[in-house]
Structures are given as structure tokens and as C-alpha cells.
Amino acid sequence: MLRFGVLGAGRIGKVHARTIAASGKARVAYLADAVPKAAADLAAEVGAEVASVEDIVKAKDVDAILIATPTPFHAEQIEAGSNAGKAVLCEKPVSLSVERIEQCLKVVEKNRTTLMIGFNRRFDPNFGALEKRIRQGAVGEVELATIISRDPAPPPADYVKSSGGLFRDMMIHDLDLARFLLGEEFVTVHALGSSLVDREIGAAGDVDTAAVHMQTASGKIAVITNSRRAAYGYDQRIEVHGSKGMLRAGNVHNTTVELATAEGFRGDPILHFFTERYGQAYANEVLAFIDAVTNGKQVSPSGKDGLQAQKLADAATESWKSGKPVKVA
Ligand SMILES: NC(=O)c1ccc[n+]([C@@H]2O[C@H](COP(=O)([O-])OP(=O)(O)OC[C@H]3O[C@@H](n4cnc5c(N)ncnc54)[C@H](O)[C@@H]3O)[C@@H](O)[C@H]2O)c1
């Protein structure tokens, strides 16, 4: 049984701790949170002991650390876990600074420890199946990928101020997905952004509506569109076009029930937000990490994937601000 220390008992920490506890292959030995009641409640639920971050990192009876604290703590907690020889699964992003990520990855590399980054969409059953079919050659040579990602409602402007902005906070998932689907690095990024949903988001120096075009060295193109609002729920779709055809994965609805009348066909709403839509993806992600660490397999997505997605998010932010395409090293 793999013994976890979980850092952070907030929205995503709860989801991951419950997966570990239900896995039958691992358990949450210790749990830490800056708010003692948050730690105590989740620890009681998953059968863990409450401890400090420092004690968890040092604990001899902890094999792996799951980091679900706010972003500014990720890099230092990855380094602490790695220096103590633990395998680490860290929520995205590693850091909002590319330099800080590079520094952190050097520590992990030096220690030769395991680091996986929580880009959960790679583990979504629909998107994962689509990617497998690309690799099997179902659409021949891939030429274009289109990713649509819209939140049901905008976050508070206060959240936006400390988030790093839409490209680093929200689009980072789609930037990683684009790399995952095309299997190549992007060399050019061109972004447009507006605040059309909430003026306060614009006043906070961010955008709530954005489109990005990216191109690989071989000429393949990815198009990503994001909005912080969709009247009909959490809109998550992919289309990949290639020399032999097209693959697409649509939204997942609450049920498959349809009502047909003279006015047309009507289905149920789509799954409301990320905890509902990606519930299975989060579980698959944690189970893949447990399997990799237990059986000595390579983890994916890696720290390098975290770094590349951040470089693309920085390039998109720069391109939106300058109005010019940006080259990515
Ligand atoms: N992959 C995804 O889809 C996804 C979804 C949500 C959040 N996230 C990421 O997960 C991280 C956490 O987000 P969240 O929405 O769960 O936030 P949250 O605010 O709900 O939870 C964070 C928790 O960490 C605790 N905390 C704060 N500082 C701490 C510290 N130094 N040590 C221990 N605990 C501390 C807080 O008290 C809180 O309970 C963020 O980096 C976010 O980007 C990823």
C-alpha cells in the first residue's frame, strides 16, 4: 500500500484524497492544511492523521506527496518532497514563473525523484480515447486541432487578480492538451483577448474571452478558444482533423435522455463544472500515479510538460499584450 501525505484539503485536495482512500492500493497516511478544521474534517473522512507540512515531508512512513495547496506553495513543496526522496504528484501549475519552474525541476532531476503534474484532461476517458485513435492513425497525419473550453460563469475579480491571468490559469489546461494531441512542440503563439463577460476582470488587468493560434515547426496548427462564461454550462470539446478524416469529442450531458416534440429535440444540460465533468479524469490521474510509483513506471505528464505549458501560457500572455505572434524556444 502506497502511503500518501496530502497537502491541502480544499476543493481539489478533497477530490484526490477521496480517490486515494477508495483506491484499495494506497492510503492517506497524513494530511495537512493551513486551516486546522479543514484538515481535521477531511482526515476523519479518509482515515488519515493531521500533521504539519514539514512533518509530512520528513515522515519515514510516507512514500508519496500529493500537493493541492494554492499555486504559490507548489515549487517549494515539490522541492521539499523531492529532497526527502518522495514521489510527488502536484496540481497544476508548478509556478506562475518559468524561471522558478526550471529551478524546481533542477532539484527534482538532481535527486532523481518522481514528479507528475496534474493535467487531468489527459485522463478524461473521452479525450484519452481520442488521443489513442490519433496515435493508431485513425485520421492519418494530423493537421489541425481545435479545442473549445468555456466555464459556466466567471470567477470573482479578486480571484483573477492572483490567478496569473486567463492564459496561465485557465488556458494552461488547453495548452497542455494541444501538446498532448499533436505530440509536437509549438514554436509560434498568437493570442487575442477581450473582457466581454465582466468589466471588473478587464479592470483587474485580465481577459475573460480569448483565442489562441499556435503552430509547430512542421506546420501543424492548434486553435484554442476560451470564455469565462457559457449560458449552457461547462463547454469542453475537441476536434482533430487529419489527412484521412476527423475525430471529435463532445460534451457530456447529465443524462442521455432526449425529448422530441414538434419544436425539435431537447436534451439534458451538460455536466456543470470541473468537479462533475472531470470527476473520472481526476480519479484516473491519481490511479495512474499510484500505478507508476508502485510498479516503477515513468509518470506522465511530467515536470517538463508543466514547464512547456507554462512557456506557452507566457507566450500567449505576451502576444495578447503586444498584438504580435511570439516565438517559443
Ligand atoms: N487540475 C484542475 O483541474 C484543478 C482544479 C482546481 C484547482 N487546481 C489547482 O489546485 C490548487 C488548489 O486549488 P483549490 O481550488 O483546491 O484551492 P482551495 O483554496 O479550495 O484549497 C487550497 C487549500 O490549501 C490550504 N492551504 C493554503 N496554504 C497552505 C499551506 N501553505 N500548506 C497547507 N495547506 C495550505 C487552504 O487552507 C485550502 O484548504 C491550485 O494550484 C489550483 O490551480 C487544479
Side-chain angles (χ1 to χ4, degrees), residues 96-127:
L96 295 176
S97 150
V98 163
E99 290 71 32
R100 185 70 187 89
I101 299 177
E102 284 171 337
Q103 205 179 23
C104 177
L105 297 190
K106 275 193 191 133
V107 172
V108 175
E109 201 176 318
K110 186 177 121 262
N111 293 328
R112 296 170 177 266
T113 52
T114 298
L115 172 63
M116 176 166 150
I117 307 301
F119 285 123
N120 55 291
R121 293 183 194 182
R122 293 185 180 215
F123 297 91
D124 175 71
N126 301 306
F127 295 169

Side-chain angles (χ1 to χ4, degrees), residues 6-14 16 32-36 38-39 51-54 67-74 76-77 90-94 118-121 159 163 168-169 172-173 234 274-275 278 282 285:
V6 173
L7 315 184
R11 289 189 303 178
I12 207 71
K14 284 189 187 119
H16 293 323
D33 195 286
V35 177
S52 68
V53 171
E54 294 69 29
I67 301 174
T69 50
T71 303
F73 299 103
H74 291 180
E76 68 187 64
Q77 291 174 344
C90 183
E91 261 308 334
K92 50 63 54 181
V94 175
F119 285 123
N120 55 291
R121 293 183 194 182
Y159 170 88
S163 69
R168 295 188 183 96
D169 174 54
I172 188 122
H173 280 292
Y234 192 41
F274 62 88
T275 46
Y278 289 120
Y282 292 124
E285 168 188 283

Side-chain angles (χ1 to χ4, degrees), residues 150-156 197 201 227-231 233-234 272-273:
R150 301 180 185 129
D151 285 352
V197 175
I201 290 180
S227 171
R228 289 285 197 184
R229 175 194 56 204
Y234 192 41
H272 180 65
F273 205 10

Side-chain angles (χ1 to χ4, degrees), residues 12-320:
I12 207 71
K14 284 189 187 119
V15 172
H16 293 323
R18 287 172 185 150
T19 299
I20 296 166
S23 70
K25 294 176 177 160
R27 66 185 178 89
V28 184
Y30 300 101
L31 207 145
D33 195 286
V35 177
K37 185 170 168 6
D41 287 353
L42 186 58
E45 185 188 328
V46 300
E49 265 181 59
V50 174
S52 68
V53 171
E54 294 69 29
D55 286 346
I56 290 177
V57 166
K58 281 188 293 189
K60 294 238 173 345
D61 55 349
V62 165
D63 311 299
I65 309 257
L66 189 148
I67 301 174
T69 50
T71 303
F73 299 103
H74 291 180
E76 68 187 64
Q77 291 174 344
I78 290 172
E79 288 172 354
S82 170
N83 283 333
K86 317 285 190 205
V88 175
L89 169 55
C90 183
E91 261 308 334
K92 50 63 54 181
V94 175
S95 162
L96 295 176
S97 150
V98 163
E99 290 71 32
R100 185 70 187 89
I101 299 177
E102 284 171 337
Q103 205 179 23
C104 177
L105 297 190
K106 275 193 191 133
V107 172
V108 175
E109 201 176 318
K110 186 177 121 262
N111 293 328
R112 296 170 177 266
T113 52
T114 298
L115 172 63
M116 176 166 150
I117 307 301
F119 285 123
N120 55 291
R121 293 183 194 182
R122 293 185 180 215
F123 297 91
D124 175 71
N126 301 306
F127 295 169
L130 188 149
E131 191 268 345
K132 268 204 191 80
R133 301 233 196 139
I134 294 175
R135 299 299 149 240
Q136 289 162 354
V139 291
E141 279 301 310
V142 172
E143 293 157 359
L144 267 170
T146 305
I147 300 173
I148 294 168
S149 176
R150 301 180 185 129
D151 285 352
D158 266 359
Y159 170 88
V160 163
K161 279 179 202 153
S162 60
S163 69
L166 178 143
F167 298 104
R168 295 188 183 96
D169 174 54
M170 176 177 175
M171 195 180 285
I172 188 122
H173 280 292
D174 308 303
L175 296 166
D176 176 67
L177 205 48
R179 291 182 63 247
F180 180 57
L181 296 173
L182 264 54
E184 288 183 20
E185 296 299 349
F186 294 98
V187 294
T188 311
V189 177
H190 193 191
L192 292 174
S194 309
S195 70
L196 303 175
V197 175
D198 183 347
R199 277 174 196 279
E200 279 196 40
I201 290 180
D206 196 9
V207 297
D208 52 37
T209 307
V212 159
H213 298 168
M214 306 193 290
Q215 196 164 33
T216 67
S218 72
K220 294 176 183 168
I221 293 172
V223 179
I224 300 171
T225 65
N226 278 178
S227 171
R228 289 285 197 184
R229 175 194 56 204
Y232 47 91
Y234 192 41
D235 191 5
Q236 302 288 296
R237 288 175 284 146
I238 292 179
E239 188 190 286
V240 175
H241 179 259
S243 55
K244 288 189 189 164
M246 183 269 286
L247 279 162
R248 70 176 172 213
N251 283 312
V252 181
H253 294 249
N254 286 336
T255 75
T256 58
V257 175
E258 273 186 331
L259 167 70
T261 66
E263 279 76 46
F265 284 72
R266 197 166 159 186
D268 269 3
I270 51 181
L271 294 179
H272 180 65
F273 205 10
F274 62 88
T275 46
E276 296 91 3
R277 173 65 179 80
Y278 289 120
Q280 191 59 53
Y282 292 124
N284 291 348
E285 168 188 283
V286 168
L287 295 175
F289 177 79
I290 293 171
D291 176 47
V293 175
T294 307
N295 299 307
K297 299 178 188 165
Q298 201 146 20
V299 293
S300 176
S302 65
K304 188 196 160 212
D305 292 311
L307 175 65
Q308 286 305 119
Q310 200 66 34
K311 283 186 180 173
L312 295 176
D314 277 4
T317 307
E318 189 188 328
S319 171
W320 156 57

